[in-house]
Amino acid sequence: MRNRVRDLFDRVRQSLFFIPALIVGGCAVLARTLLWVDGSGSLDGLLVLSTTVASARVILSTIAGATITVAAIVFSITALTVQLAASQYSPRILGVLFRDSFQQIVIGITTGTFVYSLLVLAAVRLPSDGAEESSPSVSTTAGIILAVLAMLLIVGFLNHVLQRIEVGTLIRGIADATTHEVRRELPERLEASPETALAADQLSGEPSLRVRGTTKGWVTSIDNRQLLDAVDDGGVLRVDVEVGDYVHSGTMLATVWTLDPPSGLESAIREAIGTGTNRKIEGDPRFGLRLLSDIALRALSPGINDPATAVDVVTHLGEPLGEVLTRDLPHRVVGDRGSNRRLFRPDRPDRDDYIRSALQGIRLNAGAQPEVIRAIIDLAHDLVSLLPEAQAGRGDSLRREVHLLLQQAERELPDDDVKLLRRRAEKHGLVPEPGD
């Protein structure tokens, strides 16, 4: 149930319907309330615009026409932004764009103002229509306030969109979100098992239970605490999937070795392994690295040929990868204090996985771009310099990426360019100097 709620909440965050619908509903309630206030005369004497029925109808008609035009502009800008981001950066960027709460509020206020004006306009009738003469001053004043607010929001929305799709802002936002998730995900909250690993023969016996999935989707979370609580004392549970994997109905989720499987064990395991319709950065920092890599790959494609954007991506990879290198990774085998229960997650990503997610795709496409190669060499140097001498081995993945990158450059660049790049890498100690 908790995973369904989490998936539903994520859909709401990406929806351009839910929040605007709530605002439209609120504007409808406001219209009925203020019409009642106008009829009761309870706010007479307050600072409101004094209007007649005829002037109120003109004002409200103008507001309704103007706001529906503004709403059409907002819809057009939103569609254009989505199309531009998908073609220029990556289709997987759309989830990030749809989560913009300001965009949802602007859509809600503009359409809500239109609905408010229609409802008030329909209720305000001229005496010639058989209605009693009334002064809808409060309702009309509120309509004008909503119209002014909608106009201000559309100006702010234009500024917001233009800044938001600027490549530097977009890259920085994804990099910051990825860094936040790295900091949140890497510290291990459970105790490490006394064993640093589970030997193969410990899991070679016939398992007590194999748990398969019943739904399809991306694995978005794995709750270690809930998984350990589901197994009885002395049991071992191996998770056969990892966050970021796509599972189908029938995919093996987990395998359990235990003498007496508790009742409800299968449902508890399925509940602890959350799935969703879309992959997201929250809980999956490697997806954030993938998004950044996608932007760089699109920039390096022959159709766009924008190496400066790829350099910008490589520069912003420094923060999340620096956290990966300097933090201790979660253990693949964790235990529970006071019991012999153990949880084994053999596919948990290591530092090599994080480095490959960020740099492998860029490396394979940057062999003919000296400025991108130079940026990767500088990034590797900056990251390796963060490590104390006792942890120097953590930079081996970066050195390997630089070595492979230079090999590829030798096949695609002139010798003089390769010599300059190799000299730069040797200067930073990323490749052995000649004769070493």
Side-chain angles (χ1 to χ4, degrees):
M1 177 61 69
R2 183 167 52 188
N3 289 325
R4 294 193 189 98
V5 172
R6 188 186 298 117
D7 187 43
L8 179 62
F9 177 72
D10 190 62
R11 291 188 187 185
V12 168
R13 289 184 62 191
Q14 296 188 28
S15 173
L16 295 180
F17 172 78
F18 184 76
I19 291 180
L22 289 180
I23 296 176
V24 169
C27 288
V29 172
L30 178 64
R32 302 306 303 175
T33 302
L34 294 184
L35 284 169
W36 175 83
V37 170
D38 275 324
S40 66
S42 56
L43 294 183
D44 289 346
L46 291 182
L47 186 60
V48 295
L49 296 177
S50 179
T51 61
T52 63
V53 173
S55 62
R57 289 174 66 88
V58 172
I59 292 172
L60 293 169
S61 299
T62 303
I63 292 174
T67 52
I68 196 61
T69 303
V70 169
I73 294 174
V74 172
F75 299 149
S76 300
I77 293 174
T78 301
L80 182 62
T81 302
V82 169
Q83 181 182 6
L84 178 62
S87 60
Q88 185 74 18
Y89 305 130
S90 168
R92 280 167 286 276
I93 294 293
L94 301 187
V96 177
L97 297 178
F98 284 147
R99 293 186 183 192
D100 186 357
S101 57
F102 183 68
Q103 174 179 261
Q104 297 169 358
I105 291 173
V106 171
I107 293 175
I109 291 294
T110 52
T111 54
T113 302
F114 172 73
V115 170
Y116 173 91
S117 301
L118 285 185
L119 292 176
V120 176
L121 186 61
V124 176
R125 299 181 182 276
L126 294 168
S128 59
D129 297 329
E132 295 183 2
E133 179 70 33
S134 61
S135 177
S137 299
V138 176
S139 302
T140 306
T141 302
I144 294 174
I145 293 173
L146 286 175
V148 172
L149 178 61
M151 295 304 109
L152 291 175
L153 285 176
I154 187 61
V155 174
F157 180 66
L158 287 171
N159 177 70
H160 176 72
V161 167
L162 292 176
Q163 291 185 352
R164 190 160 176 257
I165 64 174
E166 195 271 324
V167 63
T169 302
L170 187 63
I171 292 172
R172 183 169 59 252
I174 297 174
D176 290 345
T178 304
T179 302
H180 173 75
E181 287 305 310
V182 169
R183 292 169 178 166
R184 193 174 69 89
E185 289 295 318
L186 291 193
E188 179 59 37
R189 295 179 175 83
L190 296 174
E191 291 186 349
S193 179
E195 302 86 355
T196 58
L198 282 171
D201 57 359
Q202 292 181 270
L203 300 177
S204 61
E206 186 65 23
S208 306
L209 181 67
R210 291 185 174 93
V211 181
R212 297 183 180 274
T214 57
T215 59
K216 63 181 180 179
W218 296 96
V219 178
T220 57
S221 63
I222 298 177
D223 191 330
N224 287 354
R225 179 75 273 162
Q226 190 172 348
L227 288 171
L228 277 175
D229 290 342
V231 184
D232 60 352
D233 191 20
V236 176
L237 190 153
R238 183 186 67 200
V239 181
D240 297 319
V241 294
E242 194 49 63
V243 173
D245 292 346
Y246 190 87
V247 297
H248 302 274
S249 179
T251 298
M252 187 73 69
L253 299 181
T255 307
V256 184
W257 287 263
T258 181
L259 295 177
D260 185 19
S263 60
L265 177 59
E266 289 190 52
S267 59
I269 291 175
R270 293 192 184 102
E271 177 66 23
I273 301 176
T275 58
T277 54
N278 295 305
R279 197 175 176 186
K280 54 188 179 179
I281 298 177
E282 289 81 358
D284 186 6
R286 281 191 301 165
F287 182 59
L289 298 175
R290 172 68 184 275
L291 287 179
L292 292 171
S293 178
D294 282 351
I295 295 174
L297 293 180
R298 185 63 64 93
L300 292 172
S301 64
I304 296 179
N305 193 23
D306 180 19
T309 294
V311 171
D312 200 3
V313 169
V314 172
T315 301
H316 281 85
L317 283 170
E319 190 74 17
L321 292 183
E323 295 291 336
V324 170
L325 287 179
T326 55
R327 288 173 176 264
D328 291 332
L329 296 179
H331 299 278
R332 292 185 173 180
V333 180
V334 293
D336 195 19
R337 179 179 298 176
S339 72
N340 293 321
R341 294 179 293 190
R342 288 176 295 173
L343 173 65
F344 182 30
R345 291 176 59 177
D347 296 325
R348 249 186 171 168
D350 55 18
R351 291 186 181 85
D352 288 349
D353 294 324
Y354 283 104
I355 298 297
R356 280 194 296 267
S357 296
L359 295 178
Q360 186 180 54
I362 302 175
R363 165 174 55 82
L364 292 173
N365 290 271
Q369 300 291 346
E371 57 267 48
V372 181
I373 299 174
R374 190 181 303 111
I376 294 177
I377 292 174
D378 292 342
L379 171 69
H381 168 65
D382 292 341
L383 293 176
V384 170
S385 65
L386 296 174
L387 299 171
E389 187 175 350
Q391 298 176 348
R394 294 185 178 186
D396 290 343
S397 296
L398 289 166
R399 297 185 183 93
R400 183 165 55 250
E401 288 293 327
V402 171
H403 176 67
L404 294 173
L405 184 57
L406 290 175
Q407 285 185 335
Q408 185 170 339
E410 290 174 353
R411 297 190 295 268
E412 300 186 37
L413 289 176
D415 291 342
D416 289 343
D417 290 331
V418 175
K419 288 178 181 179
L420 291 175
L421 294 171
R422 181 169 291 278
R423 190 177 305 139
R424 191 181 191 90
E426 292 170 352
K427 174 184 175 182
H428 295 322
L430 298 174
V431 294
E433 296 186 11
D436 286 357

